[in-house]
Structures are given as C-alpha cells and as structure tokens.
C-alpha cells in the first residue's frame, strides 16, 4: 500500500509536455482488436504504478471484442525519473503550492486543454445490441486504458462474455497536468485536477480533505457532462441507460458529475473516494437527484483517503435525502487494494441499475461457468484474493 506521493515518486514518470489542444470526446467507432493483438491492447504489467483499484487479470478474453480510440501521440515526450522522496517539508510545500495557485489564477487559464483525449472503449457486439453505457474515470496518474486492463478481464470472468455484449464501456482519459503538492519538483501526471496539499501522503492525515484546484474540477465536470450527453444521445436520449463510475480521484469526479448533471443517470459506482466539498457547495442539486442510485465502496484501512472522511461525506448525502445509497466498507482493505469484494460490489451495482441482461435457461452466468465470489455477512469475501497487483 502506497500513499499518493509514494506512488508518483516510485512508479510514475514526469511528462515534460505542454497542455496542447487535444481531440475532444468522440463517439466514432474505433478499429477492432482481435486475437493475437489482444495482448498488446491489454498488457499485463508487473507492478501497480497508479493509485487506482485493481482486479486480477483473468483468462478468457480471447473472444472479447475490444476496440480502442487512441489520442494522437504528442510530437515530443521526455521521460525523466521521479525523485524517491519529496525534498521539502509539508508546510513549505503547501506555501509554494498556494503561491503557485495564486500565480496561475492571476495569470488566467490553467484549467486544461479544450477537450479530453479520445477514450478507451469496449463496444457492444453490434450497434443494434447496444443497450446501456457505463462511463469510467481513472484515478490520479492513471489512464483509461490502464483502468480497462483491470476491469475488463474481471468483468468477463465474473459476468460472462455474453453479458458484456450489450454494454458499452467508455474509459475516459484525463489531461496531463502539473501537480503542485510535491513542491519544487512539480511533476506532470494524468489528473482530473491539481492538488495543493498532500494530507493523504507525507502529511499522514488521510482524514482531511485535500485542497484542490476547483477551476480544474469545473473544467473536467463540463467535459464529463459532454461525454454523458453524447452517450445518452446514442441511446435515444435516455439518461437512465447511462451510468458512471470511478476510482480514487476518478471516484470523486464521477460523484461530482452524477450529482450535478441536469439529468438523472442510471447510477454511479464510487470506489475509494468521496464527495468533494466544492461539489457539496453546489447543493441543492437538480430536482429529483435524491433518487440517484449510488453504490459506494471503500477500504477500512485506507491511508490515502480515509474511510472516515468518505463516510462523513456519504452521511451528508443521506441527510440531504439520498436514501438509495449503498455503502460497503471492506475490513482491513487499503487504498485501491485489489479485492474480490470490489468486483462483487460493481457487479451488484450493474444488476441493481438494470444494466445486466437476465440469463436464459441453461445459460452460463460467467466465463468458464464460474460464479463470482460471494460476500459473507461480515463483509469478507469467500474465494481467492488476488495475488498480484496490476495496473488499472
């Protein structure tokens, strides 16, 4: 288990590139990936290099129809090693971060490029079979493809290939941003927004909400809303057939997008995150938003975003009348630590939203005729815990 800063310092490169205009969200069907090309599309890395949840990469994907839209490769990308540890104390880092924030805002801009890079997409079997869409948001320093490389094999194993035939899974990509909370290093990572504090890292206070760039949150919210609108339009304007989910920073942004969109979505899956204070300040939310189906998952031993912080934020939603909220806290589970419990929670959420087709008589419900792991009354999960930590 690593803190946010330790993940960045140990595994992630510095992207020395500018926030050039990148392609906006697209719905064009990408080229398919088949057979022996699958291993290239879904690599199996050796270690976790981002603070997002991971489920085991499971066999049985040979026949999945995976298609990908990739953004154009930047003309010049320089990779440099990250320092092993931040070189300054927490208080000094916060002062520099605030100075950086003030300077950027005084100069105007800094919210991000004009649009998001193209997403990683799992298309349904045919356009006619498309029944539901789930939009997924990756965590800090991750990418849509990395998130997909963990979720797709696990879902195929737990739910069966035929179940995925009618689903479209869209893994959005955040822009590359300069991160302020690490002091003078100011590395660049994929991020929905900047951090000005590192409470959940070196400061050792994961129970405190981070100070973030709210202008960048608003920028990301607008683009995520646009992606939701595009997917709803492809489904005849039916927003109940579109859901959103995310992990860690992506979880916080998924909650923000679902709570603030003008239309009620089919549901939201919130893993290892919480409702931002800047999101809560936008209440009262649109009429009828308390009917939103929220499935939240967290680890009791999370030392990056403490479960106590998440629980307080979800309690605030309950106080506002959000009574269709399901919250699962897994015992002894750290931040985005892989577990069967998270897979069970996501599968249950899809079923609760009505996003899974009802299997016919004699039809297998999972690849290789195996059922997903079952949760016990105490919240633990029967079955083998994932042994390897891979990228999501």
């Amino acid at each position: 288990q690593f803190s946010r800063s330790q993940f960045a310092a140990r595994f992630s490169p510095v992207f020395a590139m500018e926030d050039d205009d990148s392609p906006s969200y697209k719905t064009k069907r990408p080229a398919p990936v088949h057979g022996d090309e699958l291993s290239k599309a879904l690599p199996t890395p050796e270690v976790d290099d981002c603070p997002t949840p991971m489920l085991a990469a499971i066999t049985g994907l040979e026949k999945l129809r995976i298609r990908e839209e990739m953004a154009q490769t930047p003309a010049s990308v320089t990779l440099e090693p990250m320092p092993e540890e931040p070189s300054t104390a927490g208080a000094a880092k916060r002062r520099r971060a605030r100075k950086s924030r003030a300077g950027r805002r005084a100069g105007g801009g800094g919210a991000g490029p004009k649009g998001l890079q193209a997403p990683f997409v799992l298309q349904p079997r045919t356009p006619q079979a498309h029944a539901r869409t789930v939009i997924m948001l990756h965590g800090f320093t991750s990418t849509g493809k990395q998130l997909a490389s963990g979720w797709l094999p696990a879902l195929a194993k737990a739910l069966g290939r035929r179940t995925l035939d009618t689903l479209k899974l869209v893994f959005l990509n955040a822009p590359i941003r300069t991160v302020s909370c690490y002091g003078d290093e100011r590395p660049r990572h994929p991020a929905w927004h900047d951090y000005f504090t590192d409470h959940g890292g070196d400061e050792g206070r994961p129970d405190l909400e981070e100070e973030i760039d709210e202008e960048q949150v608003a920028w990301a919210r607008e683009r995520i809303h646009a992606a939701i609108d595009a997917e709803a339009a492809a489904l005849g304007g039916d927003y109940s057939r579109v859901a959103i989910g995310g992990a860690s920073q992506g979880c916080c942004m998924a909650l923000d997008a679902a709570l603030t969109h003008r239309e009620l979505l089919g549901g939201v899956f919130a893993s290892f995150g919480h409702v931002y204070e800047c999101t809560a300040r936008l209440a009262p939310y649109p009429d009828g938003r308390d009917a939103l189906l929220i499935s939240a998952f967290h680890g009791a031993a999370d030392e990056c975003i403490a479960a106590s912080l998440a629980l307080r934020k979800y309690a605030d939603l309950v106080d506002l009348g959000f009574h269709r909220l399901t919250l699962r806290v897994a015992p002894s589970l750290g931040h985005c630590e892989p577990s069967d419990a998270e897979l069970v929670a996501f599968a249950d959420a899809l079923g609760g939203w009505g996003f899974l087709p009802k299997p016919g008589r004699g039809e297998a419900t999972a690849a290789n005729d195996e059922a997903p792991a079952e949760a016990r009354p105490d919240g633990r999960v029967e079955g083998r815990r994932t042994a390897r930590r891979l990228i999501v």
Side-chain angles (χ1 to χ4, degrees):
Q1 173 173 314
F2 300 97
S3 69
R4 182 183 293 110
S5 59
Q6 288 171 327
F7 265 107
R10 182 169 180 180
F11 299 120
S12 299
V14 175
F15 288 81
M17 55 186 289
E18 298 299 324
D19 287 329
D20 295 330
D21 293 349
S22 55
S24 59
Y25 181 81
K26 301 176 181 179
T27 56
K28 180 181 178 181
R29 292 176 66 86
V33 179
H34 295 291
D36 57 357
E37 299 178 355
L38 184 62
S39 60
K40 298 179 181 178
L42 295 179
T44 302
E46 297 294 333
V47 295
D48 230 341
D49 78 344
C50 55
T52 50
M54 181 53 222
L55 300 171
I58 304 172
T59 59
L61 276 178
E62 294 80 10
K63 297 182 180 179
L64 274 181
R65 295 156 311 285
I66 298 174
R67 299 171 171 89
E68 178 184 9
E69 291 186 31
M70 295 298 293
Q72 294 181 355
T73 303
S76 175
V77 177
T78 303
L79 302 181
E80 301 175 6
M82 286 290 296
E84 293 185 359
E85 295 292 341
S87 60
T88 56
K93 288 195 301 180
R94 290 194 296 275
R95 287 194 296 271
R96 283 192 296 272
R98 285 192 288 268
K99 183 177 180 181
S100 170
R101 171 178 54 183
R104 183 168 66 249
R105 289 182 177 174
K114 289 184 178 180
L116 299 177
Q117 295 182 356
F120 186 98
V121 178
L122 170 68
Q123 296 281 4
R125 178 181 293 273
T126 65
Q128 294 73 24
H130 183 198
R132 305 285 191 276
T133 295
V134 180
I135 297 172
M136 297 294 288
L137 307 181
H138 62 76
F140 179 55
T141 79
S142 186
T143 67
K145 185 174 182 179
Q146 289 173 338
L147 185 61
S149 71
W151 275 118
L152 294 184
L155 289 173
K157 177 70 172 181
L159 303 177
R161 300 186 186 96
R162 292 187 180 182
T163 300
L164 299 181
D165 284 350
T166 62
L167 278 181
K168 180 180 180 181
L169 296 173
V170 179
F171 297 84
L172 297 184
N173 284 301
I176 306 298
R177 298 188 183 278
T178 299
V179 182
S180 302
C181 67
Y182 299 138
D184 291 335
E185 292 84 11
R186 294 181 58 77
R188 294 174 60 79
H189 299 293
W192 298 104
H193 58 75
D194 190 11
Y195 289 103
F196 300 127
T197 60
D198 193 19
H199 298 318
D202 290 345
E203 295 171 35
R205 292 298 307 273
D207 57 311
L208 299 179
E209 182 173 352
E210 305 288 358
E211 295 179 24
I212 60 178
D213 192 318
E214 296 181 14
E215 181 183 357
Q216 292 181 355
V217 170
W219 179 93
R221 178 190 303 131
E222 181 180 347
R223 273 69 183 178
I224 297 168
H225 281 179
I228 293 172
D229 293 339
E231 292 304 321
L235 292 166
D238 189 349
Y239 284 85
S240 69
R241 296 164 66 186
V242 179
I244 192 168
S248 194
Q249 188 188 77
C251 165
C252 302
M253 288 305 307
L255 286 165
D256 179 278
L259 289 169
T260 61
H261 196 280
R262 67 182 185 280
E263 299 289 343
L264 179 64
L265 303 186
V268 57
F269 181 68
S271 180
F272 293 101
H274 63 88
V275 179
Y276 281 146
E277 178 61 29
C278 62
T279 304
R281 289 199 302 269
L282 297 176
Y285 302 114
D287 290 343
R289 195 47 41 92
D290 54 3
L292 179 64
L293 293 171
I294 302 175
S295 179
F297 181 85
H298 216 96
D302 193 330
E303 296 182 358
C304 183
I305 300 175
S308 60
L309 171 60
L311 291 175
R312 291 196 301 272
K313 298 295 186 175
Y314 290 129
D316 290 341
L317 286 181
V318 174
D319 289 342
L320 290 175
F322 285 79
H323 296 162
R324 306 186 74 183
L325 185 155
T326 301
L327 173 62
R328 306 185 188 197
V329 180
S332 305
L333 201 65
H335 186 65
C336 297
E337 183 180 347
S339 72
D340 291 330
E342 186 183 25
L343 173 59
V344 171
F346 192 24
D348 286 350
L350 291 171
W353 302 335
F355 277 41
L356 300 181
K358 296 180 180 180
R361 293 187 61 182
E363 183 178 340
T365 58
N368 302 327
D369 296 331
E370 292 186 17
E374 296 293 337
R376 302 190 328 205
D378 61 3
R380 295 184 180 274
V381 175
E382 295 288 355
R384 181 177 60 85
R385 172 68 66 85
T386 302
R388 299 180 61 190
R389 289 179 63 91
L390 306 177
I391 291 177
V392 177

